[in-house]
Amino acid sequence: MKEIAAIRAVLAKPGATSSDYDLNPDVIPVEQGINSPAAVLIALVEQGGTLCVVLTKRAQHLRHHPGQIAFPGGKVEAADGSIEATALREAQEEVGLPPQQVELLGTLPKHLTVTGFSVQPVLGFVKGDFAPILDKGEVEEIIFAPLAHLSDPRKYAVQQRLFRGSLRKYYTIPYGPHYIWGATARMTLGFAERISG
C-alpha cells in the first residue's frame, strides 16, 4: 500500500517534541520536570477501502479523562521490553488487537501532557481483519476515524476553557458526533502536519 510506504518514510525523519502547553507558552505547568514515560498506539486499519485510525472513547466511570477520545495506550511498565511493546500491550488490553497483527511503522516525537506524562506515539498498520474486543472497564466505544480526515490540518481549530484557574487553549478536531481534543488532537495534528508536508 502506497500510503503506508509514504508514512513510513515520513516517520523516519526527525521532528520536534510537542506539548499540551504549545498554545500556552506563558503558563508554567505544575508538573514541570515530571516526565513519566507512556506510549500510545496510532493503529491504522483498512475499513471498506479507507485507511482509518483506531480511537477509543474512554469509559465514563474512569477517574482520569472519562468520556474522552484517545488512542489505546498507557504507562510504561517494568515488564515492557520497549516503548513499542507498551503501545502494543495496551492496545491488546483495551481493544483486543493482537500484537502480531500489527506491522510497526515508526514513531512520532514525544508529547508532554498537562498531567506530567511523556507520551511516545507509535504507529502501526493492522494486517488482516480486526475484530475488536473492548475492555468495558476502560473503553466505552471504538471509533474508526478516516486518516484523510485526521491528516488535514485545515480541519483543526483552537478552543479554550478554564483549567486550574486560568484560560488554556487547546487543539480540537471534530469527527461526526465525536469531539477530539487536547493531547490526542495535538498528536494527530503533529502527524497531519508531517504527512501533509
Side-chain angles (χ1 to χ4, degrees), residues 5 9 14 25 44-45 57 66 68 85 100-101 103 110 121 134 142 157 163 178 185 187 189:
L44 306 175
V45 60
K57 182 176 181 181
Q68 288 189 12
Q100 64 272 20
Q101 199 174 339
E103 176 188 347
K110 291 179 181 177
L134 305 187
I142 190 168
F163 180 72
H178 304 293
M187 285 185 273
L189 175 60

Side-chain angles (χ1 to χ4, degrees), residues 64-194:
H64 299 292
H65 313 295
Q68 288 189 12
I69 308 302
F71 299 112
K75 291 187 281 190
V76 172
E77 295 183 359
D80 295 333
S82 65
I83 202 76
E84 290 83 1
T86 299
L88 292 172
R89 173 182 55 75
E90 288 283 349
Q92 184 172 32
E93 292 174 1
E94 292 181 25
V95 298
L97 176 59
Q100 64 272 20
Q101 199 174 339
V102 181
E103 176 188 347
L104 294 175
L105 304 175
T107 60
L108 289 172
K110 291 179 181 177
H111 177 83
L112 306 178
T113 73
V114 70
T115 48
F117 286 96
S118 177
V119 182
Q120 180 76 72
V122 177
L123 276 94
F125 175 62
V126 179
K127 300 174 289 185
D129 295 330
F130 167 44
I133 302 172
L134 305 187
D135 176 356
K136 294 297 186 178
E138 291 191 54
V139 179
E140 179 178 309
E141 181 183 353
I142 190 168
I143 302 157
F144 295 97
L147 177 62
H149 178 78
L150 296 179
S151 63
D152 184 352
R154 297 169 298 179
K155 295 189 182 297
Y156 289 78
V158 174
Q159 296 182 5
Q160 61 183 10
R161 66 172 57 179
L162 194 64
F163 180 72
R164 293 179 179 170
S166 62
L167 284 174
R168 305 285 179 88
K169 296 177 181 178
Y170 54 91
Y171 290 103
T172 67
I173 178 169
Y175 171 61
H178 304 293
Y179 181 69
I180 305 167
W181 68 285
T184 303
R186 181 65 186 90
M187 285 185 273
T188 58
L189 175 60
F191 184 39
E193 290 172 338
R194 298 191 76 174

